[in-house]
Amino acid sequence: MKILIVGNGARESALGVKLKQDKRISKIFFAQGNATTDNLGQNYYESDIVSLRNLAIKENIDLTIVGPEAPLVNGIVDEFRKNDLQIFGATARAAKLEGSKAYSKKFMQDYNIKTAKARVFDAYHDAMDYVKDHSYPLVIKASGLAGGKGVVICEDVLEANSTIHKFMIDRIYGDAGIQLIIEEYLEGYEVSIIAFSNGKKLFPCIPAKDYKKAGNGEKGANTGGMGSAAPTPEWTAENQIDFEKNILEPTIVGLQNKHLNFRGFIFFGLMVTKDGCYLLEYNMRLGDPETQVLMALLENNLVDTIESCLKGEDIELKFSDKKALCLVMCSGGYPQNYETGFEIKGIEKVEHSTLLFAGAAQEAKKIVTTGGRVLSLVATADSFEEARKKVYADALPIHFDYAYYRQDIGEF
């Protein structure tokens, strides 16, 4: 078999490591890939949909798996299917549930999916008027794609005014912020649940925890993710029942009623409060860094599982009973401005974890930084404490200029 994986993060590295265990796979292409995928298969440096379609036809690719959101929103699945190419991911219509938070919020409201109260704003002055007399904190979200960073919890009206101005006037996330969602703040802890879709049903994985803030203790700016853990230790059987009844099942009804059937991944971003589970957002893909811990624990053969979903068959997911932890090492300044091009040293001393590059590439005989989230260290163990010791021991010898990482991943 030949596989194409679209994306260049640690998520795609984790998929590559998992797929490399399958002896039926003769070659894996990665578009655009990174320093890990360079050693797992062949990196392909074109990323537009037409080039990827042509690659899949030319190389007789048997299966394409899409990692990031932008190609899904832009219709890569639709284009591949037009050409009878097997691809696992959401169609453009289904991907709108991630591409437009305004659209997804209306979907949640229409199908009585448990979510925070919210209003959508298209006009700057209307949004500014709304936050004048609002109780705080409140949450302001850019409606479009903002790389996981377009959400701000505002503590007062000054921060709300500043956020609205940055999103709608300064356009810090481009067109993603020209429409806003302003919603009530929910107190609790976040959980990520990713499910496989076979076009009719959704099959959820074990819950994972994503550490979103740049600083220890969940302080600082939102990032794409500074680490993850699975299974989430706070999650209870009661939480699972609540999630299935009030979020998962009505989502399936909504997808069917709106004819948004797809075969791919769907991500539920949840807030667990004293009043139960609330849906914060949908992502129509695998999360990063959640994928790193889920792939480390998934016992199913990934290709078989995906092919069953593509055929519309039911699946039974099996996960190891171990604990998995992922620590993300970043470039100084991330998620704002940062420099790249620094050599990464000490990786040969990693002994206890799986090293998955993201924002890093091979140049001559060196590996250099190319992005904000540079690499992930993933370890499994019988306890989170033991997994923590592994990833932090392996982080110590790794060095690149301005490197930083959180010290509290795996502390709950």
Side-chain angles (χ1 to χ4, degrees):
M1 294 184 71
K2 290 183 181 179
I3 307 288
L4 169 61
I5 297 176
V6 179
N8 63 351
R11 165 184 52 209
E12 288 73 32
S13 296
L15 289 171
V17 168
K18 177 71 174 170
L19 291 167
K20 202 69 177 172
Q21 299 166 9
D22 193 327
K23 302 301 182 190
R24 297 169 298 176
I25 296 173
S26 59
K27 191 164 188 179
I28 308 175
F29 291 86
F30 297 88
Q32 298 176 332
N34 56 51
T36 291
T37 63
D38 222 5
N39 294 318
L40 294 172
Q42 182 177 330
N43 288 350
Y44 178 76
Y45 295 103
E46 300 294 329
S47 60
D48 65 280
I49 290 171
V50 171
S51 295
L52 295 178
R53 178 204 66 196
N54 292 343
L55 172 71
I57 293 170
K58 178 187 171 189
E59 297 290 344
N60 293 312
I61 299 293
D62 296 290
L63 173 65
T64 298
I65 304 169
V66 186
E69 59 273 28
L72 296 168
V73 170
N74 292 332
I76 187 171
V77 170
D78 309 74
E79 182 62 29
F80 271 51
R81 285 189 178 164
K82 272 189 222 165
N83 291 272
D84 296 321
L85 296 165
Q86 280 225 103
I87 184 167
F88 197 62
T91 60
R93 286 186 68 241
K96 194 176 177 183
L97 285 168
E98 177 172 7
S100 169
K101 287 187 173 64
Y103 176 81
S104 65
K105 180 60 74 170
K106 186 173 188 308
F107 178 90
M108 295 173 205
Q109 292 166 344
D110 287 349
Y111 291 99
N112 296 314
I113 295 161
K114 201 169 169 188
T115 187
K117 294 172 185 169
R119 281 188 58 182
V120 177
F121 292 90
D122 298 289
Y124 171 76
H125 291 293
D126 289 346
M128 294 291 272
D129 286 342
Y130 182 74
V131 299
K132 274 181 190 172
D133 304 312
H134 206 286
S135 57
Y136 286 85
L138 58 73
V139 182
I140 299 179
K141 299 179 178 180
S143 182
L145 299 177
K149 298 184 278 289
V151 179
V152 178
I153 299 169
C154 300
E155 299 295 339
D156 54 40
V157 69
L158 290 176
E159 189 174 8
N161 288 341
S162 172
T163 301
I164 293 167
H165 196 277
K166 285 176 183 175
F167 283 7
M168 300 188 93
I169 305 301
D170 296 340
R171 303 280 185 92
I172 62 169
Y173 298 120
D175 288 346
I178 59 176
Q179 189 177 49
L180 296 181
I181 295 88
I182 302 178
E183 68 181 33
E184 67 173 323
Y185 172 75
L186 298 173
E187 187 76 47
Y189 63 90
E190 290 191 42
V191 172
S192 304
I193 294 186
I194 295 169
F196 288 76
S197 170
N198 70 356
K200 297 172 289 188
K201 299 179 185 176
L202 301 179
F203 302 89
C205 298
I206 55 174
K209 180 180 179 69
D210 173 22
Y211 295 79
K212 286 189 172 65
K213 299 289 187 178
N216 295 332
E218 282 296 286
K219 307 291 185 187
N222 256 6
T223 72
M226 298 297 294
S228 58
T232 305
E234 305 104 321
W235 189 255
T236 66
E238 289 77 14
N239 292 148
Q240 185 71 24
I241 292 166
D242 181 22
F243 162 68
E244 290 178 5
K245 179 183 176 185
N246 295 307
I247 295 171
L248 183 71
E249 290 170 10
T251 294
I252 293 170
V253 171
L255 291 172
Q256 291 171 347
N257 287 356
K258 301 277 277 185
H259 304 291
L260 298 176
N261 303 323
F262 69 97
R263 293 166 173 83
F265 296 105
I266 181 169
F267 171 115
F268 297 87
L270 308 174
M271 181 68 77
V272 183
T273 76
K274 58 181 176 54
D275 298 316
C277 300
Y278 288 78
L279 181 61
L280 299 177
E281 64 176 354
Y282 293 112
N283 292 336
M284 304 308 291
R285 54 179 170 85
L286 287 165
D288 183 339
E290 292 93 344
T291 300
Q292 288 88 300
V293 287
L294 292 176
M295 288 299 119
L297 297 175
L298 181 66
E299 294 182 338
N300 300 64
N301 178 286
L302 186 58
V303 169
D304 288 346
T305 304
I306 287 174
E307 288 194 330
S308 292
C309 287
L310 288 169
K311 292 173 187 171
E313 298 171 353
D314 288 359
I315 59 171
E316 183 182 349
L317 296 173
K318 295 179 181 176
F319 291 87
S320 163
D321 59 4
K322 290 186 178 294
K323 316 300 181 190
L325 205 67
C326 170
L327 174 67
V328 177
M329 298 186 70
C330 297
S331 299
Y334 174 79
Q336 275 83 42
N337 298 322
Y338 55 85
E339 295 179 48
T340 59
F342 302 115
E343 184 178 0
I344 304 168
K345 299 178 181 177
I347 58 174
E348 71 283 354
K349 296 177 182 175
V350 173
E351 295 180 16
H352 315 288
S353 315
T354 300
L355 189 156
L356 303 171
F357 284 112
Q362 287 187 320
E363 289 186 5
K365 294 184 179 180
K366 299 188 296 186
I367 296 177
V368 300
T369 64
T370 59
R373 290 192 292 171
V374 175
L375 61 90
S376 289
L377 291 166
V378 183
T380 60
D382 291 328
S383 69
F384 283 117
E385 184 181 10
E386 193 181 341
R388 264 180 60 77
K389 287 177 183 174
K390 289 183 178 182
V391 294
Y392 281 105
D394 285 333
L396 278 175
I398 299 175
H399 174 78
F400 51 92
D401 287 359
Y402 310 111
Y404 88 95
Y405 52 90
R406 278 179 57 166
Q407 303 292 335
D408 62 346
I409 304 301
E411 291 179 358
F412 303 103

